Amino acid sequence: PIIAADTGGSPEILNQGELGKLYRYGQIESFCEQVNWILQHPDKSKTMAANAKEKAIVEYSHLNEMSRLAEVVELAQKS
C-alpha cells in the first residue's frame, strides 16, 4: 500500500484509506505509526495494495494519459 503525507492531493488520491495510509506531514512519528499499522494488518494492507495497483492501471496508464493529452491538444486547436 501507499504511505503518503496528508498534503496536496494525497488525501483525495488515497480515498480515505482505501489505497493506503496518510501520515502528518513533517512528523516522522506519524509516518512510523502508519508503517507499523501496515505491518500489523497484512490482510488489509494487501487489499489496499491491490486497490492502489488497480487505480494506477485504470487512471494513470500511459494510454489514458495520451488520451487526456490528445483532448487538451484538440481543445487548444479549437481555441
Side-chain angles (χ1 to χ4, degrees), residues 2-3 6-7 18-19 22 28 33 37 57 59 63 69 71 73:
I2 300 164
I3 300 176
D6 60 356
T7 60
E18 180 183 329
L19 308 178
L22 293 170
I28 190 68
E33 288 171 5
W37 187 94
I57 291 169
E59 294 190 22
L63 296 175
L69 180 58
E71 290 174 15
V73 169

Side-chain angles (χ1 to χ4, degrees), residues 31-61:
F31 176 79
C32 292
E33 288 171 5
Q34 301 311 320
V35 170
N36 284 331
W37 187 94
I38 287 171
L39 294 173
Q40 293 171 1
H41 299 89
D43 291 338
K44 291 179 183 177
S45 296
K46 286 179 186 176
T47 299
M48 285 180 175
N51 291 341
K53 181 179 180 181
E54 180 66 21
K55 182 171 183 166
I57 291 169
V58 170
E59 294 190 22
Y60 303 110
S61 73

Side-chain angles (χ1 to χ4, degrees), residues 5-17 22:
D6 60 356
T7 60
S10 296
E12 293 82 21
I13 292 170
L14 294 185
N15 198 22
Q16 298 181 3
L22 293 170

